[in-house]
Amino acid sequence: LSRRQPGNFNQALMELGQTVCLPRAPRCTVCPIQKWCAGYRLNEPEDYPAPGPRRAAELHYLAAAIIRRKSRFALIRGLDGGLLPDMWNFPAAFGRSRAAALRHLQAKLTGLNSGIVDNVEIRPPLAEIRHTITHRSIRVHLYPVEIHGSILSNSVKWFTAGRLGRSAVSQLARKISARLEAGA
């Protein structure tokens, strides 16, 4: 591996998988690493490696806060449970049920760590979105939230809907934004 650009090796392997080592009709005759390939040696390249068992999908509920100031929305980094820590997301909280997720969202928005400690009014949900992250099947309920007072946290960033497409936001945040633009 190159010490200066070790990522080139990873990129080359990914390109090999996209162009030569195909799941159906692999092109073994032109493969530069066929002599190290167990699938080629066993004369079963289409069956190697056997796919592992899929993890069963787990149902999760997520209450997402839609905090709007004129044409901008409040977003924070990450979701609960360490999911998507570097991505901007609508403030949200998970729960084992829809009601539990809403309770957790209320606590999160009014907690001292959030910086949103003034009077918070969560209104009835606008819509439900279904989203999947790895093995999690998530039912997301979008709650308009009215903040009476100011948001005291530097961890909140304001985005216009148009800016979301050009920012480091999660796919879930993009899905929520699209639903809001569609008039949810």
Side-chain angles (χ1 to χ4, degrees), residues 123-149:
R123 297 202 173 125
L126 295 170
E128 177 183 310
I129 293 175
R130 293 180 185 235
H131 188 70
T132 303
I133 300 176
T134 61
H135 61 278
R136 295 169 188 89
S137 175
I138 305 170
R139 290 191 181 163
V140 185
H141 293 91
L142 309 181
Y143 293 92
V145 174
E146 189 72 35
I147 305 290
H148 303 286

mmCIF file of all heavy atoms in Angstrom, residues 123-149:
data_model
loop_
_atom_site.group_PDB
_atom_site.id
_atom_site.type_symbol
_atom_site.label_atom_id
_atom_site.label_comp_id
_atom_site.label_asym_id
_atom_site.label_seq_id
_atom_site.Cartn_x
_atom_site.Cartn_y
_atom_site.Cartn_z
ATOM 1 N N ARG A 123 -46.920 20.811 18.651
ATOM 2 C CA ARG A 123 -48.267 20.712 18.069
ATOM 3 C C ARG A 123 -48.508 19.308 17.516
ATOM 4 O O ARG A 123 -47.565 18.529 17.385
ATOM 5 C CB ARG A 123 -48.402 21.757 16.971
ATOM 6 C CG ARG A 123 -48.278 23.164 17.547
ATOM 7 C CD ARG A 123 -48.919 24.174 16.634
ATOM 8 N NE ARG A 123 -48.932 25.470 17.283
ATOM 9 C CZ ARG A 123 -48.412 26.559 16.754
ATOM 10 N NH1 ARG A 123 -47.859 26.516 15.568
ATOM 11 N NH2 ARG A 123 -48.464 27.695 17.425
ATOM 12 N N PRO A 124 -49.750 19.009 17.133
ATOM 13 C CA PRO A 124 -50.045 17.684 16.557
ATOM 14 C C PRO A 124 -49.202 17.425 15.302
ATOM 15 O O PRO A 124 -48.821 18.351 14.587
ATOM 16 C CB PRO A 124 -51.533 17.764 16.212
ATOM 17 C CG PRO A 124 -52.077 18.804 17.136
ATOM 18 C CD PRO A 124 -50.967 19.808 17.309
ATOM 19 N N PRO A 125 -48.923 16.150 15.019
ATOM 20 C CA PRO A 125 -48.023 15.822 13.903
ATOM 21 C C PRO A 125 -48.598 16.218 12.551
ATOM 22 O O PRO A 125 -49.792 16.162 12.324
ATOM 23 C CB PRO A 125 -47.851 14.311 14.004
ATOM 24 C CG PRO A 125 -49.047 13.840 14.748
ATOM 25 C CD PRO A 125 -49.437 14.957 15.680
ATOM 26 N N LEU A 126 -47.673 16.633 11.676
ATOM 27 C CA LEU A 126 -48.028 16.994 10.300
ATOM 28 C C LEU A 126 -48.128 15.770 9.406
ATOM 29 O O LEU A 126 -48.949 15.718 8.502
ATOM 30 C CB LEU A 126 -46.946 17.898 9.703
ATOM 31 C CG LEU A 126 -46.728 19.267 10.300
ATOM 32 C CD1 LEU A 126 -45.459 19.881 9.725
ATOM 33 C CD2 LEU A 126 -47.925 20.137 9.998
ATOM 34 N N ALA A 127 -47.224 14.834 9.637
ATOM 35 C CA ALA A 127 -47.130 13.691 8.727
ATOM 36 C C ALA A 127 -46.307 12.587 9.357
ATOM 37 O O ALA A 127 -45.637 12.802 10.372
ATOM 38 C CB ALA A 127 -46.471 14.128 7.418
ATOM 39 N N GLU A 128 -46.361 11.424 8.715
ATOM 40 C CA GLU A 128 -45.503 10.303 9.086
ATOM 41 C C GLU A 128 -44.657 9.944 7.873
ATOM 42 O O GLU A 128 -45.153 9.914 6.748
ATOM 43 C CB GLU A 128 -46.323 9.083 9.503
ATOM 44 C CG GLU A 128 -45.462 7.879 9.833
ATOM 45 C CD GLU A 128 -46.268 6.639 10.179
ATOM 46 O OE1 GLU A 128 -47.173 6.735 11.015
ATOM 47 O OE2 GLU A 128 -45.968 5.575 9.593
ATOM 48 N N ILE A 129 -43.394 9.705 8.118
ATOM 49 C CA ILE A 129 -42.463 9.276 7.073
ATOM 50 C C ILE A 129 -41.870 7.951 7.517
ATOM 51 O O ILE A 129 -41.592 7.757 8.698
ATOM 52 C CB ILE A 129 -41.327 10.318 6.886
ATOM 53 C CG1 ILE A 129 -41.884 11.610 6.316
ATOM 54 C CG2 ILE A 129 -40.229 9.770 5.994
ATOM 55 C CD1 ILE A 129 -40.847 12.701 6.211
ATOM 56 N N ARG A 130 -41.668 7.078 6.577
ATOM 57 C CA ARG A 130 -40.987 5.818 6.882
ATOM 58 C C ARG A 130 -39.581 5.902 6.310
ATOM 59 O O ARG A 130 -39.388 6.355 5.192
ATOM 60 C CB ARG A 130 -41.752 4.644 6.308
ATOM 61 C CG ARG A 130 -43.081 4.507 7.030
ATOM 62 C CD ARG A 130 -43.896 3.375 6.516
ATOM 63 N NE ARG A 130 -45.189 3.413 7.179
ATOM 64 C CZ ARG A 130 -45.699 2.403 7.849
ATOM 65 N NH1 ARG A 130 -45.030 1.284 7.930
ATOM 66 N NH2 ARG A 130 -46.867 2.512 8.410
ATOM 67 N N HIS A 131 -38.618 5.461 7.121
ATOM 68 C CA HIS A 131 -37.214 5.558 6.734
ATOM 69 C C HIS A 131 -36.488 4.325 7.265
ATOM 70 O O HIS A 131 -36.864 3.772 8.290
ATOM 71 C CB HIS A 131 -36.610 6.840 7.324
ATOM 72 C CG HIS A 131 -35.235 7.141 6.837
ATOM 73 N ND1 HIS A 131 -34.977 7.544 5.545
ATOM 74 C CD2 HIS A 131 -34.045 7.114 7.468
ATOM 75 C CE1 HIS A 131 -33.670 7.742 5.413
ATOM 76 N NE2 HIS A 131 -33.091 7.491 6.561
ATOM 77 N N THR A 132 -35.445 3.913 6.576
ATOM 78 C CA THR A 132 -34.659 2.769 7.014
ATOM 79 C C THR A 132 -33.202 3.168 7.113
ATOM 80 O O THR A 132 -32.663 3.794 6.201
ATOM 81 C CB THR A 132 -34.808 1.599 6.017
ATOM 82 O OG1 THR A 132 -36.194 1.282 5.906
ATOM 83 C CG2 THR A 132 -34.045 0.377 6.473
ATOM 84 N N ILE A 133 -32.589 2.823 8.225
ATOM 85 C CA ILE A 133 -31.145 2.987 8.406
ATOM 86 C C ILE A 133 -30.628 1.627 8.851
ATOM 87 O O ILE A 133 -30.986 1.144 9.918
ATOM 88 C CB ILE A 133 -30.797 4.063 9.459
ATOM 89 C CG1 ILE A 133 -31.352 5.421 9.055
ATOM 90 C CG2 ILE A 133 -29.287 4.132 9.673
ATOM 91 C CD1 ILE A 133 -31.138 6.519 10.084
ATOM 92 N N THR A 134 -29.805 1.012 8.039
ATOM 93 C CA THR A 134 -29.289 -0.355 8.215
ATOM 94 C C THR A 134 -30.440 -1.284 8.586
ATOM 95 O O THR A 134 -31.316 -1.527 7.783
ATOM 96 C CB THR A 134 -28.119 -0.412 9.226
ATOM 97 O OG1 THR A 134 -28.559 0.032 10.503
ATOM 98 C CG2 THR A 134 -26.950 0.416 8.748
ATOM 99 N N HIS A 135 -30.462 -1.801 9.806
ATOM 100 C CA HIS A 135 -31.488 -2.766 10.220
ATOM 101 C C HIS A 135 -32.658 -2.103 10.948
ATOM 102 O O HIS A 135 -33.512 -2.784 11.487
ATOM 103 C CB HIS A 135 -30.863 -3.835 11.126
ATOM 104 C CG HIS A 135 -30.271 -3.250 12.371
ATOM 105 N ND1 HIS A 135 -29.022 -2.684 12.387
ATOM 106 C CD2 HIS A 135 -30.768 -3.107 13.608
ATOM 107 C CE1 HIS A 135 -28.773 -2.229 13.596
ATOM 108 N NE2 HIS A 135 -29.818 -2.479 14.367
ATOM 109 N N ARG A 136 -32.698 -0.779 10.962
ATOM 110 C CA ARG A 136 -33.753 -0.061 11.676
ATOM 111 C C ARG A 136 -34.834 0.410 10.704
ATOM 112 O O ARG A 136 -34.548 1.172 9.791
ATOM 113 C CB ARG A 136 -33.171 1.152 12.394
ATOM 114 C CG ARG A 136 -32.203 0.798 13.483
ATOM 115 C CD ARG A 136 -31.476 2.061 13.956
ATOM 116 N NE ARG A 136 -30.404 1.741 14.859
ATOM 117 C CZ ARG A 136 -29.161 1.479 14.475
ATOM 118 N NH1 ARG A 136 -28.830 1.514 13.203
ATOM 119 N NH2 ARG A 136 -28.232 1.196 15.354
ATOM 120 N N SER A 137 -36.045 -0.027 10.935
ATOM 121 C CA SER A 137 -37.197 0.473 10.195
ATOM 122 C C SER A 137 -37.809 1.558 11.085
ATOM 123 O O SER A 137 -38.254 1.265 12.196
ATOM 124 C CB SER A 137 -38.188 -0.659 9.955
ATOM 125 O OG SER A 137 -39.343 -0.156 9.335
ATOM 126 N N ILE A 138 -37.793 2.791 10.610
ATOM 127 C CA ILE A 138 -38.143 3.928 11.464
ATOM 128 C C ILE A 138 -39.426 4.587 10.968
ATOM 129 O O ILE A 138 -39.542 4.923 9.789
ATOM 130 C CB ILE A 138 -36.998 4.962 11.477
ATOM 131 C CG1 ILE A 138 -35.679 4.290 11.894
ATOM 132 C CG2 ILE A 138 -37.329 6.115 12.421
ATOM 133 C CD1 ILE A 138 -34.460 5.167 11.694
ATOM 134 N N ARG A 139 -40.344 4.768 11.883
ATOM 135 C CA ARG A 139 -41.547 5.555 11.619
ATOM 136 C C ARG A 139 -41.310 6.920 12.240
ATOM 137 O O ARG A 139 -41.216 7.051 13.462
ATOM 138 C CB ARG A 139 -42.777 4.893 12.211
ATOM 139 C CG ARG A 139 -43.136 3.630 11.473
ATOM 140 C CD ARG A 139 -44.476 3.121 11.886
ATOM 141 N NE ARG A 139 -44.743 1.884 11.161
ATOM 142 C CZ ARG A 139 -45.661 1.029 11.504
ATOM 143 N NH1 ARG A 139 -46.436 1.268 12.543
ATOM 144 N NH2 ARG A 139 -45.845 -0.060 10.809
ATOM 145 N N VAL A 140 -41.201 7.908 11.392
ATOM 146 C CA VAL A 140 -40.876 9.264 11.819
ATOM 147 C C VAL A 140 -42.147 10.108 11.801
ATOM 148 O O VAL A 140 -42.811 10.198 10.760
ATOM 149 C CB VAL A 140 -39.826 9.903 10.875
ATOM 150 C CG1 VAL A 140 -39.407 11.264 11.380
ATOM 151 C CG2 VAL A 140 -38.627 8.981 10.700
ATOM 152 N N HIS A 141 -42.465 10.715 12.919
ATOM 153 C CA HIS A 141 -43.605 11.626 12.994
ATOM 154 C C HIS A 141 -43.067 13.047 13.096
ATOM 155 O O HIS A 141 -42.177 13.321 13.907
ATOM 156 C CB HIS A 141 -44.503 11.270 14.184
ATOM 157 C CG HIS A 141 -45.166 9.944 13.997
ATOM 158 N ND1 HIS A 141 -44.613 8.777 14.441
ATOM 159 C CD2 HIS A 141 -46.314 9.615 13.365
ATOM 160 C CE1 HIS A 141 -45.402 7.769 14.100
ATOM 161 N NE2 HIS A 141 -46.435 8.247 13.440
ATOM 162 N N LEU A 142 -43.585 13.919 12.234
ATOM 163 C CA LEU A 142 -43.104 15.295 12.142
ATOM 164 C C LEU A 142 -44.010 16.202 12.966
ATOM 165 O O LEU A 142 -45.185 16.375 12.647
ATOM 166 C CB LEU A 142 -43.100 15.750 10.685
ATOM 167 C CG LEU A 142 -42.415 14.827 9.679
ATOM 168 C CD1 LEU A 142 -42.477 15.429 8.286
ATOM 169 C CD2 LEU A 142 -40.986 14.545 10.092
ATOM 170 N N TYR A 143 -43.431 16.804 13.999
ATOM 171 C CA TYR A 143 -44.183 17.664 14.901
ATOM 172 C C TYR A 143 -43.737 19.116 14.735
ATOM 173 O O TYR A 143 -42.565 19.433 14.973
ATOM 174 C CB TYR A 143 -43.944 17.251 16.356
ATOM 175 C CG TYR A 143 -44.508 15.905 16.709
ATOM 176 C CD1 TYR A 143 -43.729 14.758 16.598
ATOM 177 C CD2 TYR A 143 -45.819 15.779 17.153
ATOM 178 C CE1 TYR A 143 -44.249 13.517 16.923
ATOM 179 C CE2 TYR A 143 -46.339 14.536 17.478
ATOM 180 C CZ TYR A 143 -45.544 13.411 17.366
ATOM 181 O OH TYR A 143 -46.066 12.185 17.685
ATOM 182 N N PRO A 144 -44.661 20.006 14.361
ATOM 183 C CA PRO A 144 -44.299 21.423 14.353
ATOM 184 C C PRO A 144 -44.080 21.868 15.808
ATOM 185 O O PRO A 144 -44.855 21.511 16.693
ATOM 186 C CB PRO A 144 -45.510 22.122 13.747
ATOM 187 C CG PRO A 144 -46.495 21.071 13.412
ATOM 188 C CD PRO A 144 -46.010 19.771 13.925
ATOM 189 N N VAL A 145 -43.011 22.591 16.031
ATOM 190 C CA VAL A 145 -42.673 23.043 17.379
ATOM 191 C C VAL A 145 -42.560 24.554 17.382
ATOM 192 O O VAL A 145 -41.896 25.142 16.525
ATOM 193 C CB VAL A 145 -41.345 22.408 17.856
ATOM 194 C CG1 VAL A 145 -40.902 22.987 19.189
ATOM 195 C CG2 VAL A 145 -41.482 20.894 17.951
ATOM 196 N N GLU A 146 -43.208 25.148 18.338
ATOM 197 C CA GLU A 146 -43.146 26.600 18.516
ATOM 198 C C GLU A 146 -42.274 26.871 19.739
ATOM 199 O O GLU A 146 -42.522 26.342 20.821
ATOM 200 C CB GLU A 146 -44.562 27.152 18.735
ATOM 201 C CG GLU A 146 -44.659 28.644 18.714
ATOM 202 C CD GLU A 146 -44.471 29.211 17.310
ATOM 203 O OE1 GLU A 146 -44.897 28.572 16.335
ATOM 204 O OE2 GLU A 146 -43.891 30.306 17.213
ATOM 205 N N ILE A 147 -41.243 27.663 19.544
ATOM 206 C CA ILE A 147 -40.362 28.058 20.645
ATOM 207 C C ILE A 147 -40.734 29.482 21.017
ATOM 208 O O ILE A 147 -40.621 30.392 20.194
ATOM 209 C CB ILE A 147 -38.868 28.004 20.232
ATOM 210 C CG1 ILE A 147 -38.493 26.623 19.694
ATOM 211 C CG2 ILE A 147 -37.978 28.426 21.380
ATOM 212 C CD1 ILE A 147 -38.465 25.519 20.690
ATOM 213 N N HIS A 148 -41.193 29.674 22.230
ATOM 214 C CA HIS A 148 -41.528 31.019 22.710
ATOM 215 C C HIS A 148 -40.306 31.542 23.446
ATOM 216 O O HIS A 148 -40.005 31.121 24.549
ATOM 217 C CB HIS A 148 -42.762 30.975 23.608
ATOM 218 C CG HIS A 148 -43.948 30.370 22.928
ATOM 219 N ND1 HIS A 148 -44.657 31.028 21.956
ATOM 220 C CD2 HIS A 148 -44.529 29.151 23.056
ATOM 221 C CE1 HIS A 148 -45.637 30.254 21.527
ATOM 222 N NE2 HIS A 148 -45.580 29.107 22.173
ATOM 223 N N GLY A 149 -39.567 32.393 22.805
ATOM 224 C CA GLY A 149 -38.317 32.884 23.363
ATOM 225 C C GLY A 149 -37.197 32.580 22.394
ATOM 226 O O GLY A 149 -37.415 32.409 21.201
#
